[in-house]
Amino acid sequence: MSPTPVNSAPIHPPVDTEESDLRVSERKTSAAGAKAVAISMKRSLAEQGVVKTAKNLLTMNQVDGFDCMSCAWPDPAPGERHTAEFCENGAKAVSWEGDRRRVTPEFFAEHSIADLRDRSAHWLESQGRLTHPMVRRAGGTHYEPISWDDAFDLVGTHLRALSSPDEALFYTSGRASNEAAFVYQLFARAYGTNNLPDCSNMCHESTSVGLAEAIGVGKGSVSLQDLHDADLIVISGQNPGTNHPRMLSALETAKKNGARILAVNPLPEAGLFKFDNPQTPRGMSGIGTHLADEFLQIRSNGDLALWQAFGHLLLAAEDRNPGNVLDRDFIERHTNGFEAYAAHVKDLDRDAVVAATGLTWGEIEKAAEMLATSKRIVNCWAMGITQHRNAVATIKEMVNVALLQGMIGKPGAGLCPVRGHSNVQGDRTMGIWERVADSFLDAIRDEFGFEPPREHGHDSVAAVQAMADGRASVFVGLGGNFSQAMSDTGVTEPALERCALTVQISTKLNRSHVVAGTDALILPALGRTEKDLTGGRAQRVTVEDSMSAVHASHGRSEPAGELLRSEVDILCGIARATLGADHLVPWAEFAADYDRIRDRIGRVVPGCEAYTEKVARSGGFTLAHPPRDSRTFPTASGKAEFTVSPLEVLTLPEGRLVLQSLRSHDQFNTTIYGLDDRYRGIHSGRRVVFISDADLRELGFADGDRVNLVSEWTDGSERRADDFRLVSYSTPKGCIAAYYPETNPLIPLESYADGSRCPTSKWVQVRLEPATR
Ligand SMILES: Nc1nc2c(c(=O)[nH]1)N[C@H]1C(S)=C(S)[C@@H](COP(=O)(O)OP(=O)(O)OC[C@H]3O[C@@H](n4cnc5c(=O)[nH]c(N)nc54)[C@H](O)[C@@H]3O)O[C@H]1N2
Ligand SMILES: Nc1nc2c(c(=O)[nH]1)N[C@H]1C(S)=C(S)[C@@H](COP(=O)(O)OP(=O)(O)OC[C@H]3O[C@@H](n4cnc5c(=O)[nH]c(N)nc54)[C@H](O)[C@@H]3O)O[C@H]1N2
Ligand SMILES: [Mo]
């Protein structure tokens, strides 16, 4: 059963008061440079002070330092790192955590929950670091301090009172360490549920599903070296200048080594075109490195059609030049289903491709020629590909083309989904997954001696539905900001509020703390940059990057408060209070020494044998990936699978537009650092809609007009987000863009990808209405 659609959702949370100064300037055509360094220093000094700034920025991404929590881009090999191995946005993430301001019990005494609900997301996060465990008990108007032990008991009491463990939900945001993740999933399963929704469900789930089906492993197949050695890099649906700035260094190296770059995006993102590397004099002076050689300004959701056209054109090129385009030997030895695929794409409807992509056939041929003439292709993608209804099919279509040319398991080539949260991939490896394999559960049983539940748990969409319907009533969030990150804010917020208990393990105040259950806990955690002295010893944690490299991370800064506890310690405390002190799992021992957790990871998690020793080595180790390592494909057939998907052209009724929701340069997901989006020319405001001049003309609007966005769902329901300023921008006709999370009220909960159930954050049908102010 699905929750009742909301016809008119208010703005959640309120708009920041500073947004009235919104200003628009020319968009930029290059990324990083001197300005980026200046900005990261200014912000860092203001928020953290001089000593902490120096300490944090110099130990970031170093072998004996902490892993930057801003994205999952890999670090160079130990000997090849710069003294300052960070980017502007990584520095922002670090200063955000190093914030000198504090959210204390006095703060909560002063601000009622009702008051906090009326504050903007930016305001909430700007109040500083959380310092004390806090509780709001049934009927209370304010959060009040609570001791750690009482907090753990409260969770235990609620969990033990549920009639089924499946009435509890254990959400994870991708910043949690491997140790915290392993303990968390173990606790959920020992308690009796696989309800482990996570931010992957909203992020690269489509990648994990598509790759698992096609090549047998749901992870990318490249190393950083492969990027450096590639002769063609394709970047689709990704804005690296903002979201993975250190990727620009890898692209620069690749360009110097002779690579070409093909970018596919509805928007001409600055970071796709030119990189002014702040590590080099050339970059600082603004000469920089040109990146994309070709740019396909594709219509939203045109990628499936584009990759079918690439397959079609590669087959045609092979016909003209036999033996020189396809890798026949690879196809023969390592793949299944070539004939059916070839028949399907040979018969392609060109007009449909042109309609879906908005590109000319000539542009597509030119790009296909780049593929046909390259020997080492790395294919990168992110949210512009995964957050669509047909995302899984699109990803498999990209794999089809890689298989045609044998671009998996050879140097300089491969599939490169670029992950988001710094440890989102590691959390999955550790078993944070509502549908984890039976073999993983068997290993838990064999190691710990209890029988884990076998029934699949709820993903993020199902979690909201279960709360909305009253089938789930305890929500625990290990990091993250579920109320803002999830689609359909007007359904998600009341769903959280229906819970008997919500528990948020967090570093800063956010909206999910104020749309809380009847009983609500805020448990303040240590961040990645901070010293962790749990159990009286200096503890380290481990993380896995987007390229399956696993390594240690330890913070050096003084914790933001004396009462803060590590995520591992908090989770072990909850587990003991729920399951009893003499449980089959030695929770106290785990919290006292994380090596004891690592020993178990080594015995349970595939590929992590001898984990404790391997992560103790400088630089860590890389997890096995059979397709990458030996062209072995662990699919049912033992071969990589070509797949056939129908060519889809998503169409829009008259006067309607497709909205994509994306990140500004000044945010980390739901955390709004500031109100600028420098590369796109937006200053002091976030409620903007990027729209083409053609659409402005056709719809009778002008740049600067204020509009309301109304989304239309197939069941006839409508959702609204009010008062956005139209900004004339370079985007294909019919395709508009606005920031997330402000646009989440527009995305119906039922609007998710086939196969992966990832919300369709990049494709929402809307109409514009003039705003009356
Ligand atoms: N500073 C910073 N770093 C971050 C984050 C952050 O918020 N701030 N978030 C982290 C996380 S969790 C993630 S998942 C990543 C996100 O990294 P990205 O995926 O780069 O994030 P988005 O801003 O969603 O950008 C999506 C891009 O896809 C394009 N796009 C949209 N629709 C389509 C389409 O149909 N086809 C194609 N080809 N392109 C399309 C958009 O124009 C945009 O350039 O970044 C991570 N790193
Ligand atoms: N419309 C739309 N919606 C989207 C997306 C989109 O592109 N468009 N993107 C989706 C994607 S890709 C993702 S990954 C999700 C993100 O969803 P989440 O991961 O749930 O959200 P974040 O904004 O990253 O979480 C921020 C909060 O995490 C907490 N936090 C930060 N650091 C730590 C830490 O070290 N420990 C702990 N315990 N807590 C910490 C802070 O309290 C902070 O307020 O959003 C998704 N939602
Ligand atoms: Mo993400």
Side-chain angles (χ1 to χ4, degrees):
M1 202 188 99
S2 63
T4 338
V6 176
N7 287 320
S8 177
I11 296 171
H12 320 259
V15 181
D16 203 89
T17 46
E18 291 169 37
E19 290 214 28
S20 50
D21 304 328
L22 175 63
R23 200 163 50 74
V24 178
S25 65
E26 267 311 276
R27 68 178 170 84
K28 299 278 183 294
T29 51
S30 71
K35 176 111 185 211
V37 175
I39 286 179
S40 54
M41 284 305 163
K42 192 171 144 208
R43 189 180 298 259
S44 190
L45 289 168
E47 286 178 4
Q48 315 185 87
V50 180
V51 177
K52 202 164 189 174
T53 295
K55 190 181 224 168
N56 271 338
L57 296 183
L58 293 177
T59 54
M60 190 161 169
N61 296 325
Q62 301 300 334
V63 176
D64 57 349
F66 68 92
D67 182 68
C68 176
M69 54 285 201
S70 188
C71 75
W73 191 254
D75 301 319
E80 292 164 26
R81 296 184 194 179
H82 295 284
T83 319
E85 190 61 60
F86 61 88
C87 69
E88 175 192 354
N89 278 345
K92 279 184 206 162
V94 169
S95 24
W96 177 86
E97 188 171 294
D99 195 334
R100 287 189 282 196
R101 288 158 295 185
R102 297 288 177 265
V103 172
T104 58
E106 293 71 46
F107 171 93
F108 284 109
E110 197 177 314
H111 299 281
S112 69
I113 293 177
D115 167 9
L116 296 174
R117 286 178 68 100
D118 285 340
R119 305 293 179 152
S120 72
H122 182 217
W123 188 91
L124 291 175
E125 297 249 7
S126 305
Q127 300 314 302
R129 287 287 299 277
L130 297 159
T131 56
H132 287 63
M134 302 296 296
V135 65
R136 188 278 292 271
R137 293 191 196 267
T141 54
H142 290 69
Y143 273 101
E144 294 166 8
I146 183 173
S147 73
W148 279 108
D149 283 345
D150 288 349
F152 296 152
D153 282 342
L154 184 64
V155 184
T157 305
H158 271 277
L159 288 177
R160 283 194 307 271
L162 297 180
S163 45
S164 153
D166 290 331
E167 292 170 16
L169 302 161
F170 298 97
Y171 175 71
T172 311
S173 166
R175 205 171 269 189
S177 65
N178 281 350
E179 288 74 7
F182 184 78
V183 166
Y184 194 43
Q185 61 83 34
L186 189 62
F187 164 60
R189 291 179 168 125
Y191 168 67
T193 184
N194 283 311
N195 283 346
L196 288 155
D198 70 344
C199 70
S200 264
N201 295 147
M202 318 165 195
C203 183
H204 264 293
E205 192 71 64
S206 309
T207 298
S208 305
V209 171
L211 291 186
E213 284 176 23
I215 65 167
V217 181
K219 298 181 181 179
S221 76
V222 296
S223 66
L224 198 50
Q225 192 61 43
D226 290 325
L227 261 103
H228 296 168
D229 294 342
D231 64 0
L232 177 65
I233 299 175
V234 187
I235 307 172
S236 308
Q238 203 202 332
N239 177 20
T242 286
N243 297 315
H244 304 90
R246 290 191 306 131
M247 178 176 174
L248 301 187
S249 307
L251 296 178
E252 181 176 55
T253 305
K255 286 292 285 200
K256 283 197 185 124
N257 294 343
R260 291 179 295 174
I261 294 177
L262 168 64
V264 186
N265 201 306
L267 303 181
E269 308 283 27
L272 296 172
F273 294 95
K274 186 164 162 267
F275 176 41
D276 299 331
N277 187 346
Q279 309 274 4
T280 64
R282 212 180 131 83
M284 284 298 261
S285 65
I287 299 172
T289 303
H290 287 277
L291 297 175
D293 298 270
E294 287 296 331
F295 172 55
L296 296 179
Q297 190 161 24
I298 196 165
R299 287 193 53 183
S300 291
N301 201 263
D303 305 84
L304 176 76
L306 178 70
W307 287 86
Q308 291 202 356
F310 284 163
H312 171 92
L313 289 164
L314 287 175
L315 289 168
E318 172 76 8
D319 285 345
R320 286 195 307 274
N321 191 0
N324 285 311
V325 178
L326 303 192
D327 186 339
R328 291 276 176 194
D329 182 55
F330 180 89
I331 295 171
E332 185 75 18
R333 287 166 54 165
H334 299 295
T335 70
N336 234 348
F338 170 73
E339 299 303 331
Y341 167 74
H344 176 66
V345 292
K346 269 193 176 145
D347 198 24
L348 193 70
D349 176 350
R350 281 191 195 194
D351 294 339
V353 171
V354 168
T357 58
L359 303 167
T360 65
W361 189 252
E363 284 177 292
I364 296 173
E365 279 182 322
K366 200 168 166 194
E369 186 60 20
M370 290 173 87
L371 292 167
T373 53
S374 297
K375 296 288 168 222
R376 297 177 308 281
I377 304 173
V378 171
N379 190 2
C380 306
W381 70 90
M383 296 304 102
I385 298 297
T386 64
Q387 296 175 331
H388 281 285
R389 195 182 44 70
N390 50 7
V392 174
T394 302
I395 287 155
K396 291 197 286 189
E397 213 57 67
M398 295 167 131
V399 176
N400 285 335
V401 172
L403 297 181
L404 280 180
Q405 296 186 278
M407 293 296 170
I408 296 181
K410 80 172 185 186
L415 302 168
C416 181
V418 183
R419 303 267 164 183
H421 263 300
S422 55
N423 198 40
V424 61
Q425 188 162 314
D427 292 344
R428 270 292 160 88
T429 305
M430 294 296 127
I432 300 286
W433 192 14
E434 73 284 352
R435 295 179 288 121
V436 81
D438 267 330
S439 53
F440 192 96
L441 298 174
D442 292 343
I444 288 184
R445 179 198 57 211
D446 296 348
E447 179 64 22
F448 295 100
F450 69 84
E451 187 58 57
R454 299 284 164 161
E455 202 182 318
H456 288 172
H458 293 320
D459 58 17
S460 292
V461 169
V464 176
Q465 288 168 337
M467 289 186 283
D469 296 348
R471 286 177 289 118
S473 59
V474 172
F475 178 96
V476 182
L478 175 57
N481 183 5
F482 194 73
S483 82
Q484 291 298 291
M486 259 310 276
S487 48
D488 227 344
T489 320
V491 173
T492 297
E493 290 200 340
L496 281 164
E497 289 181 307
R498 256 196 94 166
C499 286
L501 173 72
T502 51
V503 182
Q504 302 289 349
I505 302 170
S506 316
T507 51
K508 283 203 170 177
L509 192 60
N510 66 41
R511 180 80 180 169
S512 298
H513 302 126
V514 295
V515 288
T518 307
D519 282 345
L521 284 167
I522 300 176
L523 303 180
L526 290 171
R528 187 86 61 82
T529 56
E530 292 168 327
K531 272 186 206 155
D532 179 354
L533 297 174
T534 306
R537 71 179 79 205
Q539 306 273 7
R540 296 171 305 140
V541 293
T542 54
V543 291
E544 173 184 343
D545 66 31
S546 203
M547 296 180 183
S548 306
V550 180
H551 61 85
S553 168
H554 71 274
R556 302 279 190 85
S557 294
E558 289 307 320
E562 282 172 15
L563 288 180
L564 300 193
R565 293 204 182 175
S566 74
E567 291 174 350
V568 168
D569 199 14
I570 297 170
L571 296 169
C572 290
I574 292 176
R576 278 207 313 271
T578 309
L579 303 171
D582 57 346
H583 189 251
L584 288 165
V585 181
W587 305 109
E589 196 184 299
F590 280 1
D593 181 356
Y594 303 176
D595 267 343
R596 299 292 79 80
I597 304 172
R598 288 186 275 270
D599 295 345
R600 304 302 185 111
I601 291 174
R603 293 210 286 271
V604 169
V605 181
C608 291
E609 300 74 19
Y611 193 73
T612 318
E613 296 84 71
K614 282 197 278 193
V615 296
R617 286 183 215 145
S618 166
F621 74 102
T622 299
L623 283 159
H625 185 292
R628 179 198 64 204
D629 303 338
S630 59
R631 293 190 158 178
T632 311
F633 295 90
T635 56
S637 67
K639 295 194 168 185
E641 301 286 348
F642 277 101
T643 48
V644 172
S645 304
L647 174 74
E648 264 189 281
V649 184
L650 298 182
T651 51
L652 292 162
E654 219 10 59
R656 302 310 193 256
L657 303 161
V658 44
L659 168 77
Q660 62 144 320
S661 59
L662 40 53
R663 292 155 174 79
S664 80
H665 192 64
D666 251 3
Q667 74 182 83
F668 187 89
N669 297 338
T670 69
T671 294
I672 312 304
Y673 299 131
L675 302 176
D676 297 344
D677 190 8
R678 189 156 52 89
Y679 297 149
R680 299 195 188 104
I682 304 298
H683 312 274
S684 303
R686 291 180 47 86
R687 293 188 86 80
V688 292
V689 171
F690 300 99
I691 183 170
S692 69
D693 284 334
D695 282 322
L696 283 175
R697 266 195 311 277
E698 196 170 296
L699 298 170
F701 287 109
D703 175 86
D705 284 356
R706 319 278 319 188
V707 294
N708 299 332
L709 298 170
V710 186
S711 79
E712 301 170 325
W713 182 235
T714 47
D715 65 3
S717 63
E718 293 188 346
R719 290 160 179 76
R720 331 175 51 91
D722 287 345
D723 200 21
F724 289 76
R725 179 201 191 279
L726 292 175
V727 175
S728 147
Y729 205 77
S730 172
T731 176
K733 183 167 180 306
C735 305
I736 61 174
Y739 302 129
Y740 133 74
E742 286 83 345
T743 41
N744 260 337
L746 295 167
I747 307 173
L749 191 61
E750 296 77 12
S751 181
Y752 50 70
D754 299 333
S756 70
R757 296 168 50 95
C758 178
T760 60
S761 305
K762 299 294 186 272
W763 211 98
V764 193
Q765 180 179 311
V766 297
R767 63 170 195 271
L768 306 182
E769 288 180 355
T772 42
R773 290 225 282 174

